[in-house]
Amino acid sequence: MSSIPRDGADAARPKVGLPKLAEMRAKGEPIVMVTAYDHPSAQVAEAAGVEIVLVGDSAAMTVLGHTSTVPVGMDELLMLAAAVRRGLRAPFLVGDMPFGSYEGSNEQAVANAQRFIKEAGCDAIKLEGGGTSVDRARAIIRAGIPVMGHVGLTPQTATALGGYRAQGRTCDRAAKVAEDALALQAVGCFAIVFEAIPAAVTAALMSRMEHTTVIGIGAGPSSHGQVLVFHDLLGIYDGHTAKFVKRYANLREEMVRGVRAYADEVRAGAFPGSEHSYAIDPAELAGFHDYLEQDSLAQNSAWDW
Ligand code: KIV
């Protein structure tokens, strides 16, 4: 089985790179980003024709069952990112630096960013916040790795922000979001995620975001693009969803329906049917029955207590 997706994928679609993203921004063409965490979800993103795929640390919650993004580590995200890489051809692949993988020093940040590129085949990395994260972003960019910033609601530090709540809802708090975004733009981030920010604050800030691509999630319609979490938009995840999530499908219901139908058929003896079973030549089968009847076979297979 090929690891390159075929079903629905457009083989002629050129690989999305930084020039393509900048061109789309300049032309005002909306950029679509989605998270993915494994090979099948990457194939779906590929077939759907999105521009950017993020292996988000939201994997901690959507696929690993944690209650926040904090516990996920480098090795777990690298394994998921490598699986996503094998399912993607055209989209630009971003690996999310997990909590604790970049805050310590610029050296730590560069070394872990390099792992996403070398070990998982990512095109870029994402990190959260302003302040010291701006220094980390600068160092990683200087090491030759494109960086996507993330401002507003930054789930890795949600406790310090007062929980999972919208940011920038007062003039001072909006100024803080602007300060972080402008600093990340100034050090050369190719894109910045704006999460859970009033639409009007994003709209006001967009005129200052001339050199970077703004991808919104709960930040209104004025950004250059949008991102949603795969499991949220497809209704796979059974947990709490934020106000900004729109469900485009209810796959969990469909998955439960499918597994329940399978369980019902097994219990009723209806599965597997002859169409799902392999046949054997009758003469071969007769020979096999004779083989099983041999006394020596019974002796050989007897337990030697
Ligand atoms: O981890 C993630 O999924 C993210 C997106 C919400 C941007 O950071």
Side-chain angles (χ1 to χ4, degrees), residues 117-161:
I117 310 301
K118 287 175 74 145
E119 296 175 35
C122 290
D123 299 305
I125 62 90
K126 178 170 86 60
L127 46 69
E128 292 189 3
T132 54
S133 292
V134 177
D135 292 335
R136 306 293 175 256
R138 184 194 291 110
I140 296 168
I141 292 164
R142 283 188 175 157
I145 298 172
V147 174
M148 174 181 274
H150 186 155
V151 302
L153 173 56
T154 46
Q156 292 175 5
T157 45
T159 309
L161 296 174

Side-chain angles (χ1 to χ4, degrees), residues 35 37 54 56-58 96 126 150 193 195 217 227 229:
T35 66
Y37 312 103
L54 169 71
D57 64 354
S58 49
D96 210 0
K126 178 170 86 60
H150 186 155
V193 169
E195 178 164 354
I217 176 164
V227 57
V229 165

